[in-house]
Short mmCIF file of all heavy atoms in Angstrom, two decimals:
data_model
loop_
_atom_site.label_atom_id
_atom_site.label_comp_id
_atom_site.label_asym_id
_atom_site.label_seq_id
_atom_site.Cartn_x
_atom_site.Cartn_y
_atom_site.Cartn_z
N ILE A 1 -11.41 8.82 -15.83
CA ILE A 1 -10.91 7.48 -16.13
C ILE A 1 -10.22 6.95 -14.88
O ILE A 1 -9.35 7.60 -14.31
CB ILE A 1 -9.94 7.51 -17.32
CG1 ILE A 1 -10.67 7.98 -18.58
CG2 ILE A 1 -9.30 6.15 -17.54
CD1 ILE A 1 -9.79 8.25 -19.77
N ASN A 2 -10.64 5.77 -14.44
CA ASN A 2 -10.07 5.19 -13.23
C ASN A 2 -8.57 5.00 -13.37
O ASN A 2 -8.07 4.61 -14.41
CB ASN A 2 -10.72 3.84 -12.92
CG ASN A 2 -12.15 3.99 -12.47
OD1 ASN A 2 -12.51 4.95 -11.82
ND2 ASN A 2 -12.98 3.03 -12.82
N SER A 3 -7.87 5.26 -12.28
CA SER A 3 -6.43 5.11 -12.25
C SER A 3 -6.05 4.39 -10.95
O SER A 3 -5.66 5.02 -9.98
CB SER A 3 -5.76 6.48 -12.32
OG SER A 3 -4.37 6.34 -12.31
N VAL A 4 -6.24 3.08 -10.96
CA VAL A 4 -5.91 2.26 -9.80
C VAL A 4 -4.93 1.17 -10.26
O VAL A 4 -4.75 0.95 -11.46
CB VAL A 4 -7.17 1.62 -9.17
CG1 VAL A 4 -8.14 2.70 -8.70
CG2 VAL A 4 -7.87 0.67 -10.12
N PHE A 5 -4.31 0.50 -9.31
CA PHE A 5 -3.41 -0.60 -9.64
C PHE A 5 -4.25 -1.87 -9.75
O PHE A 5 -4.52 -2.54 -8.75
CB PHE A 5 -2.32 -0.74 -8.58
CG PHE A 5 -1.37 0.43 -8.56
CD1 PHE A 5 -1.47 1.41 -7.58
CD2 PHE A 5 -0.37 0.53 -9.52
CE1 PHE A 5 -0.59 2.48 -7.57
CE2 PHE A 5 0.51 1.60 -9.51
CZ PHE A 5 0.40 2.58 -8.54
N ASP A 6 -4.66 -2.21 -10.97
CA ASP A 6 -5.54 -3.34 -11.22
C ASP A 6 -4.98 -4.67 -10.73
O ASP A 6 -5.73 -5.55 -10.32
CB ASP A 6 -5.86 -3.47 -12.71
CG ASP A 6 -6.85 -2.42 -13.20
OD1 ASP A 6 -7.60 -1.88 -12.38
OD2 ASP A 6 -6.88 -2.18 -14.43
N GLU A 7 -3.68 -4.84 -10.77
CA GLU A 7 -3.05 -6.11 -10.41
C GLU A 7 -2.71 -6.20 -8.92
O GLU A 7 -2.02 -7.13 -8.50
CB GLU A 7 -1.78 -6.33 -11.25
CG GLU A 7 -2.04 -6.34 -12.75
CD GLU A 7 -3.01 -7.44 -13.18
OE1 GLU A 7 -2.90 -8.57 -12.66
OE2 GLU A 7 -3.88 -7.16 -14.01
N MET A 8 -3.19 -5.24 -8.15
CA MET A 8 -2.98 -5.26 -6.70
C MET A 8 -4.34 -5.36 -6.02
O MET A 8 -5.36 -4.97 -6.59
CB MET A 8 -2.27 -3.98 -6.24
CG MET A 8 -0.84 -3.87 -6.74
SD MET A 8 -0.07 -2.29 -6.33
CE MET A 8 0.04 -2.41 -4.56
N THR A 9 -4.35 -5.84 -4.78
CA THR A 9 -5.61 -5.91 -4.04
C THR A 9 -6.07 -4.52 -3.64
O THR A 9 -5.29 -3.56 -3.65
CB THR A 9 -5.45 -6.76 -2.75
OG1 THR A 9 -4.56 -6.08 -1.87
CG2 THR A 9 -4.98 -8.17 -3.06
N VAL A 10 -7.33 -4.44 -3.26
CA VAL A 10 -7.88 -3.17 -2.75
C VAL A 10 -7.07 -2.73 -1.53
O VAL A 10 -6.67 -1.56 -1.42
CB VAL A 10 -9.37 -3.34 -2.40
CG1 VAL A 10 -9.90 -2.15 -1.62
CG2 VAL A 10 -10.19 -3.55 -3.69
N LEU A 11 -6.78 -3.67 -0.64
CA LEU A 11 -6.00 -3.36 0.56
C LEU A 11 -4.63 -2.79 0.19
O LEU A 11 -4.19 -1.78 0.75
CB LEU A 11 -5.82 -4.63 1.41
CG LEU A 11 -4.99 -4.47 2.67
CD1 LEU A 11 -5.68 -3.54 3.66
CD2 LEU A 11 -4.73 -5.83 3.31
N ASP A 12 -3.95 -3.42 -0.76
CA ASP A 12 -2.63 -2.95 -1.16
C ASP A 12 -2.69 -1.61 -1.89
O ASP A 12 -1.78 -0.79 -1.75
CB ASP A 12 -1.91 -4.00 -1.99
CG ASP A 12 -1.44 -5.19 -1.15
OD1 ASP A 12 -1.28 -5.02 0.07
OD2 ASP A 12 -1.26 -6.28 -1.71
N ASN A 13 -3.75 -1.35 -2.64
CA ASN A 13 -3.93 -0.03 -3.27
C ASN A 13 -4.01 1.05 -2.19
O ASN A 13 -3.31 2.05 -2.26
CB ASN A 13 -5.19 -0.01 -4.12
CG ASN A 13 -4.96 -0.33 -5.57
OD1 ASN A 13 -4.70 0.55 -6.38
ND2 ASN A 13 -5.05 -1.62 -5.91
N PHE A 14 -4.86 0.82 -1.19
CA PHE A 14 -4.99 1.80 -0.11
C PHE A 14 -3.67 1.93 0.66
O PHE A 14 -3.24 3.04 0.99
CB PHE A 14 -6.11 1.42 0.85
CG PHE A 14 -7.48 1.81 0.37
CD1 PHE A 14 -8.49 0.87 0.29
CD2 PHE A 14 -7.78 3.12 0.04
CE1 PHE A 14 -9.76 1.22 -0.15
CE2 PHE A 14 -9.04 3.49 -0.39
CZ PHE A 14 -10.04 2.55 -0.49
N GLY A 15 -3.03 0.80 0.93
CA GLY A 15 -1.77 0.83 1.66
C GLY A 15 -0.69 1.60 0.94
O GLY A 15 0.06 2.38 1.54
N LEU A 16 -0.61 1.43 -0.36
CA LEU A 16 0.39 2.14 -1.16
C LEU A 16 0.13 3.64 -1.15
O LEU A 16 1.07 4.44 -1.01
CB LEU A 16 0.39 1.60 -2.59
CG LEU A 16 1.50 2.08 -3.50
CD1 LEU A 16 2.87 1.72 -2.93
CD2 LEU A 16 1.34 1.49 -4.88
N ALA A 17 -1.14 4.03 -1.25
CA ALA A 17 -1.48 5.46 -1.21
C ALA A 17 -1.12 6.06 0.15
O ALA A 17 -0.56 7.15 0.23
CB ALA A 17 -2.96 5.66 -1.50
N LEU A 18 -1.43 5.34 1.21
CA LEU A 18 -1.10 5.82 2.56
C LEU A 18 0.41 5.89 2.75
O LEU A 18 0.93 6.86 3.31
CB LEU A 18 -1.73 4.90 3.61
CG LEU A 18 -3.24 4.98 3.73
CD1 LEU A 18 -3.78 3.78 4.50
CD2 LEU A 18 -3.66 6.29 4.39
N GLN A 19 1.10 4.88 2.27
CA GLN A 19 2.56 4.84 2.38
C GLN A 19 3.18 6.03 1.65
O GLN A 19 4.07 6.69 2.18
CB GLN A 19 3.07 3.54 1.79
CG GLN A 19 4.58 3.39 1.80
CD GLN A 19 5.03 2.10 1.14
OE1 GLN A 19 4.24 1.19 0.94
NE2 GLN A 19 6.29 2.03 0.79
N ALA A 20 2.70 6.32 0.46
CA ALA A 20 3.24 7.44 -0.32
C ALA A 20 2.99 8.76 0.40
O ALA A 20 3.88 9.62 0.46
CB ALA A 20 2.60 7.46 -1.70
N HIS A 21 1.80 8.92 0.95
CA HIS A 21 1.47 10.18 1.63
C HIS A 21 2.28 10.36 2.91
O HIS A 21 2.73 11.45 3.21
CB HIS A 21 -0.02 10.24 1.95
CG HIS A 21 -0.40 11.47 2.73
ND1 HIS A 21 -0.36 12.73 2.17
CD2 HIS A 21 -0.78 11.63 4.00
CE1 HIS A 21 -0.71 13.61 3.08
NE2 HIS A 21 -0.97 12.97 4.21
N GLN A 22 2.48 9.28 3.63
CA GLN A 22 3.17 9.36 4.91
C GLN A 22 4.68 9.34 4.78
O GLN A 22 5.40 9.57 5.74
CB GLN A 22 2.70 8.23 5.83
CG GLN A 22 1.23 8.36 6.20
CD GLN A 22 0.71 7.16 6.97
OE1 GLN A 22 1.48 6.29 7.37
NE2 GLN A 22 -0.58 7.12 7.17
N GLY A 23 5.16 9.05 3.57
CA GLY A 23 6.61 9.06 3.33
C GLY A 23 7.37 7.98 4.07
O GLY A 23 8.47 8.20 4.53
N HIS A 24 6.77 6.79 4.18
CA HIS A 24 7.46 5.69 4.85
C HIS A 24 8.78 5.38 4.16
O HIS A 24 8.89 5.47 2.95
CB HIS A 24 6.59 4.43 4.84
CG HIS A 24 5.53 4.44 5.88
ND1 HIS A 24 5.78 4.16 7.19
CD2 HIS A 24 4.20 4.73 5.80
CE1 HIS A 24 4.66 4.25 7.88
NE2 HIS A 24 3.69 4.59 7.06
N SER A 25 9.74 4.96 4.95
CA SER A 25 11.05 4.64 4.41
C SER A 25 11.19 3.15 4.11
O SER A 25 12.19 2.73 3.55
CB SER A 25 12.15 5.07 5.38
OG SER A 25 11.98 4.39 6.61
N PHE A 26 10.19 2.32 4.49
CA PHE A 26 10.34 0.89 4.21
C PHE A 26 10.16 0.61 2.73
O PHE A 26 9.67 1.43 1.98
CB PHE A 26 9.42 0.03 5.08
CG PHE A 26 7.98 0.45 5.11
CD1 PHE A 26 7.10 0.12 4.10
CD2 PHE A 26 7.50 1.18 6.19
CE1 PHE A 26 5.78 0.49 4.14
CE2 PHE A 26 6.17 1.56 6.24
CZ PHE A 26 5.31 1.21 5.21
N HIS A 27 10.55 -0.57 2.33
CA HIS A 27 10.60 -0.95 0.93
C HIS A 27 9.26 -0.73 0.23
O HIS A 27 8.21 -1.14 0.72
CB HIS A 27 11.02 -2.42 0.81
CG HIS A 27 11.35 -2.82 -0.59
ND1 HIS A 27 10.42 -3.34 -1.43
CD2 HIS A 27 12.50 -2.74 -1.28
CE1 HIS A 27 10.98 -3.59 -2.60
NE2 HIS A 27 12.24 -3.24 -2.53
N PHE A 28 9.28 -0.09 -0.92
CA PHE A 28 8.09 0.28 -1.71
C PHE A 28 7.16 -0.90 -1.95
O PHE A 28 5.95 -0.78 -1.85
CB PHE A 28 8.56 0.89 -3.03
CG PHE A 28 7.45 1.30 -3.95
CD1 PHE A 28 6.75 2.47 -3.73
CD2 PHE A 28 7.11 0.53 -5.05
CE1 PHE A 28 5.73 2.87 -4.57
CE2 PHE A 28 6.09 0.92 -5.91
CZ PHE A 28 5.41 2.10 -5.66
N TRP A 29 7.71 -2.07 -2.27
CA TRP A 29 6.86 -3.21 -2.64
C TRP A 29 6.60 -4.14 -1.45
O TRP A 29 6.05 -5.21 -1.62
CB TRP A 29 7.48 -3.99 -3.79
CG TRP A 29 7.42 -3.20 -5.05
CD1 TRP A 29 8.48 -2.67 -5.73
CD2 TRP A 29 6.25 -2.80 -5.77
NE1 TRP A 29 8.04 -1.97 -6.82
CE2 TRP A 29 6.67 -2.04 -6.87
CE3 TRP A 29 4.89 -2.99 -5.59
CZ2 TRP A 29 5.80 -1.48 -7.79
CZ3 TRP A 29 4.01 -2.44 -6.51
CH2 TRP A 29 4.47 -1.70 -7.59
N SER A 30 6.97 -3.73 -0.28
CA SER A 30 6.68 -4.54 0.90
C SER A 30 5.18 -4.55 1.14
O SER A 30 4.55 -3.49 1.19
CB SER A 30 7.40 -3.93 2.10
OG SER A 30 7.14 -4.66 3.27
N PRO A 31 4.57 -5.73 1.27
CA PRO A 31 3.10 -5.80 1.42
C PRO A 31 2.60 -5.01 2.63
O PRO A 31 3.20 -5.07 3.70
CB PRO A 31 2.83 -7.29 1.60
CG PRO A 31 4.02 -7.98 1.04
CD PRO A 31 5.18 -7.05 1.28
N VAL A 32 1.51 -4.32 2.45
CA VAL A 32 0.94 -3.50 3.51
C VAL A 32 0.56 -4.35 4.72
O VAL A 32 0.64 -3.90 5.85
CB VAL A 32 -0.27 -2.69 2.98
CG1 VAL A 32 -1.42 -3.60 2.62
CG2 VAL A 32 -0.73 -1.67 4.01
N ARG A 33 0.18 -5.60 4.49
CA ARG A 33 -0.23 -6.46 5.61
C ARG A 33 0.92 -6.74 6.57
O ARG A 33 0.71 -7.18 7.69
CB ARG A 33 -0.87 -7.74 5.09
CG ARG A 33 0.00 -8.58 4.22
CD ARG A 33 -0.80 -9.69 3.53
NE ARG A 33 -0.21 -10.08 2.27
CZ ARG A 33 -0.40 -9.48 1.11
NH1 ARG A 33 -1.18 -8.44 1.04
NH2 ARG A 33 0.19 -9.89 0.02
N ASN A 34 2.18 -6.49 6.14
CA ASN A 34 3.34 -6.70 7.00
C ASN A 34 3.59 -5.53 7.96
O ASN A 34 4.49 -5.60 8.78
CB ASN A 34 4.61 -6.93 6.16
CG ASN A 34 4.55 -8.23 5.39
OD1 ASN A 34 3.70 -9.09 5.65
ND2 ASN A 34 5.43 -8.38 4.42
N HIS A 35 2.83 -4.47 7.83
CA HIS A 35 3.02 -3.27 8.65
C HIS A 35 1.70 -2.95 9.35
O HIS A 35 0.80 -2.39 8.76
CB HIS A 35 3.49 -2.10 7.78
CG HIS A 35 4.70 -2.46 6.98
ND1 HIS A 35 5.97 -2.39 7.51
CD2 HIS A 35 4.84 -2.92 5.71
CE1 HIS A 35 6.83 -2.80 6.59
NE2 HIS A 35 6.18 -3.12 5.49
N ARG A 36 1.63 -3.30 10.64
CA ARG A 36 0.37 -3.23 11.38
C ARG A 36 -0.35 -1.89 11.31
O ARG A 36 -1.54 -1.84 11.02
CB ARG A 36 0.60 -3.58 12.85
CG ARG A 36 0.54 -5.02 13.12
CD ARG A 36 0.72 -5.25 14.61
NE ARG A 36 1.42 -6.49 14.80
CZ ARG A 36 0.82 -7.61 15.11
NH1 ARG A 36 -0.45 -7.64 15.32
NH2 ARG A 36 1.52 -8.71 15.23
N SER A 37 0.33 -0.80 11.60
CA SER A 37 -0.37 0.50 11.64
C SER A 37 -0.86 0.89 10.25
O SER A 37 -1.98 1.39 10.10
CB SER A 37 0.52 1.60 12.22
OG SER A 37 1.58 1.90 11.34
N LEU A 38 -0.05 0.65 9.25
CA LEU A 38 -0.45 0.95 7.87
C LEU A 38 -1.60 0.04 7.44
O LEU A 38 -2.55 0.50 6.81
CB LEU A 38 0.75 0.78 6.94
CG LEU A 38 0.62 1.36 5.54
CD1 LEU A 38 0.38 2.85 5.59
CD2 LEU A 38 1.88 1.07 4.74
N HIS A 39 -1.53 -1.21 7.82
CA HIS A 39 -2.59 -2.17 7.50
C HIS A 39 -3.92 -1.70 8.09
O HIS A 39 -4.94 -1.68 7.40
CB HIS A 39 -2.22 -3.56 8.02
CG HIS A 39 -3.27 -4.59 7.77
ND1 HIS A 39 -4.28 -4.84 8.67
CD2 HIS A 39 -3.48 -5.42 6.71
CE1 HIS A 39 -5.07 -5.78 8.18
NE2 HIS A 39 -4.61 -6.15 7.00
N GLN A 40 -3.91 -1.31 9.36
CA GLN A 40 -5.15 -0.89 10.00
C GLN A 40 -5.70 0.38 9.37
O GLN A 40 -6.91 0.52 9.17
CB GLN A 40 -4.95 -0.68 11.51
CG GLN A 40 -6.25 -0.45 12.25
CD GLN A 40 -7.27 -1.57 12.03
OE1 GLN A 40 -6.96 -2.75 12.22
NE2 GLN A 40 -8.47 -1.21 11.58
#
């Protein structure tokens, strides 16, 4: 059964997963597009 954040964009889903894995200290709900390396 799929377990994705339906109300978030594909980009933000990937960004959130990367953020969680990398243990970033910036704000949890800060858009991934605001963080260049994470965005790329």
Side-chain angles (χ1 to χ4, degrees):
I1 297 172
N2 290 326
S3 181
V4 300
F5 293 102
D6 285 338
E7 301 300 319
M8 293 174 67
T9 66
V10 168
L11 178 65
D12 287 337
N13 266 270
F14 279 126
L16 189 59
L18 290 164
Q19 178 183 344
H21 176 69
Q22 295 173 8
H24 280 282
S25 60
F26 50 81
H27 191 269
F28 179 77
W29 291 112
S30 179
V32 67
R33 59 191 152 276
N34 293 346
H35 306 278
R36 274 183 213 260
S37 69
L38 194 60
H39 178 270
Q40 188 56 53

